[in-house]
Amino acid sequence: LTREGFSTVPDVTWGDVGGIDHLRTQLKDYVVNPIKYPETFEKFGGKLNLETGFLLYGPPGCGKTLVAKAVANEAGANFIHIKGPELLNKYVGESERAIRTLFQRARQSSPCVIFFDEVDALTTNRGSGRGREGDLAVGGLLNQFLIELHGGDRRDVYVIGATNRIDVIDPAFLRPGRFTNRVYVPLPNADDRVSILKSIAKKRPIDPSVDLDAIANKYCEGFSGADLANLMDKAIHVAVKEKFQSIESSEDGDMNSSDCTIKFTHFKQAL
Ligand code: ATP
């Protein structure tokens, strides 16, 4: 479902996400079940504690966006991706209007997940150098956001916030009934790296001799999910380049003469 090209059900599934299994259960309770089984929630007297936001925090490139998309996909919900700074406007009232419009659109395409990246930008303006006007814009926007989040008519609109800077988030955000559910999305450990690399490799022609466990374990210490995705892209690039070189140097230029798989040597060169 596309609505003015604005919100759609994402095509990312849980199969595309490696590691961070704990999040799946929590987000299922928060987003998926209320959308899929509204009668059960009604029987218990409504949506109880669900009228709050869900905040994912942690280092960049570790799957926050991916997880938010996968949960919307699982729920069959539309997805709106918005970045905090996009809503900031120094003209009085404009930022509030932007927030209102955002939630209005979400309600029109409900069930809907609003993924609020860089949500810290909405909180007080410490050290950003935007000056007094910027501060005012941020203050009004924060208030409007809290009104929509807490008191507004939510109707199957779910807010998932994300930040790399939980330390600068205004405490007003974190009070009960606001971003009460907070989950840390860490840098992946060795097992997570294996699972991430395998999920990224799923749709790629990896040579059967390649030991992805060993690559993720031995060579990728400290890598984020985004770093692993980048490694895969580079390995593909090396493999493609090698393939074309071999075609050019072969006498008959036969495109089909050798295979098209990504081998360990390609990963090694990409590292
Ligand atoms: P940021 O804080 O910078 O917005 P993020 O935590 O939202 O980062 P994503 O945008 O979800 O990170 O990840 C960037 C890319 O890295 C993804 O599109 C994906 O290719 C890869 N990636 C990151 N984490 C994972 C993961 N857990 N499983 C599979 N791929 C991942």
Side-chain angles (χ1 to χ4, degrees), residues 16-18 20 59-66 117 164 196 199-200 225-226 229:
D16 298 317
V17 184
I20 39 183
C62 292
K64 295 185 287 299
T65 311
L66 214 56
D117 212 356
N164 308 136
I196 293 172
S199 67
I200 295 169

Side-chain angles (χ1 to χ4, degrees), residues 111-169:
C112 185
V113 171
I114 301 179
F115 180 65
F116 232 115
D117 212 356
E118 301 175 46
V119 81
D120 46 278
L122 308 193
T123 75
T124 39
N125 199 15
R126 264 159 256 174
S128 75
R130 271 192 293 262
R132 208 179 102 76
E133 281 178 0
D135 281 345
L136 285 176
V138 170
L141 193 145
L142 175 62
N143 277 337
Q144 188 62 39
F145 181 66
L146 292 176
I147 288 168
E148 297 285 354
L149 184 67
H150 196 42
D153 171 14
R154 290 277 294 280
R155 255 185 302 168
D156 266 351
V157 172
Y158 298 84
V159 177
I160 301 177
T163 180
N164 308 136
R165 302 281 324 265
I166 188 108
D167 54 314
V168 299
I169 296 257

Side-chain angles (χ1 to χ4, degrees), residues 25-252:
T25 329
Q26 282 172 281
L27 283 164
K28 202 170 177 160
D29 288 343
Y30 173 64
V31 181
V32 181
N33 289 339
I35 290 174
K36 283 198 166 165
Y37 311 105
E39 321 82 44
T40 309
F41 284 85
E42 289 307 322
K43 280 187 192 144
F44 280 102
K47 287 189 181 161
L48 303 172
N49 253 335
L50 300 167
E51 305 299 316
T52 65
F54 207 103
L55 185 65
L56 306 176
Y57 66 101
C62 292
K64 295 185 287 299
T65 311
L66 214 56
V67 155
K69 285 185 176 169
V71 83
N73 172 293
E74 190 180 11
N78 286 308
F79 186 79
I80 296 177
H81 189 162
I82 188 105
K83 291 186 177 177
E86 288 169 18
L87 292 168
L88 294 178
N89 188 315
K90 66 182 171 138
Y91 295 106
V92 175
E94 282 304 311
S95 301
E96 290 90 321
R97 196 199 310 264
I99 285 273
R100 274 198 303 275
T101 308
L102 172 70
F103 275 84
Q104 217 167 9
R105 289 201 177 154
R107 281 193 292 270
Q108 279 164 5
S109 50
S110 79
C112 185
V113 171
I114 301 179
F115 180 65
F116 232 115
D117 212 356
E118 301 175 46
V119 81
D120 46 278
L122 308 193
T123 75
T124 39
N125 199 15
R126 264 159 256 174
S128 75
R130 271 192 293 262
R132 208 179 102 76
E133 281 178 0
D135 281 345
L136 285 176
V138 170
L141 193 145
L142 175 62
N143 277 337
Q144 188 62 39
F145 181 66
L146 292 176
I147 288 168
E148 297 285 354
L149 184 67
H150 196 42
D153 171 14
R154 290 277 294 280
R155 255 185 302 168
D156 266 351
V157 172
Y158 298 84
V159 177
I160 301 177
T163 180
N164 308 136
R165 302 281 324 265
I166 188 108
D167 54 314
V168 299
I169 296 257
D170 194 305
F173 257 66
L174 306 177
R175 274 186 221 131
R178 293 170 182 181
F179 278 118
T180 321
N181 309 298
R182 292 190 284 276
V183 182
Y184 182 56
V185 182
L187 209 57
N189 64 23
D191 286 345
D192 295 336
R193 290 199 301 272
V194 171
S195 130
I196 293 172
L197 196 58
K198 285 185 175 168
S199 67
I200 295 169
K202 241 181 243 165
K203 292 166 194 156
R204 306 296 187 189
I206 310 291
D207 195 84
S209 66
V210 173
D211 185 350
L212 291 173
D213 290 58
I215 293 175
N217 269 314
K218 280 194 210 148
Y219 301 99
C220 300
E221 173 110 49
F223 275 37
S224 68
D227 294 333
L228 291 166
N230 189 33
L231 170 66
M232 182 64 73
D233 286 346
K234 279 199 199 153
I236 290 168
H237 188 76
V238 173
V240 169
K241 207 166 128 191
E242 194 184 279
K243 172 80 180 170
F244 278 111
Q245 275 165 355
S246 84
I247 292 168
E248 273 163 22
S249 61
S250 75
E251 301 236 308
D252 51 3

Side-chain angles (χ1 to χ4, degrees), residues 205-207 239 243 255 258-263:
I206 310 291
D207 195 84
K243 172 80 180 170
M255 298 282 283
S258 54
D259 71 334
C260 288
T261 57
I262 304 155
K263 300 187 180 62

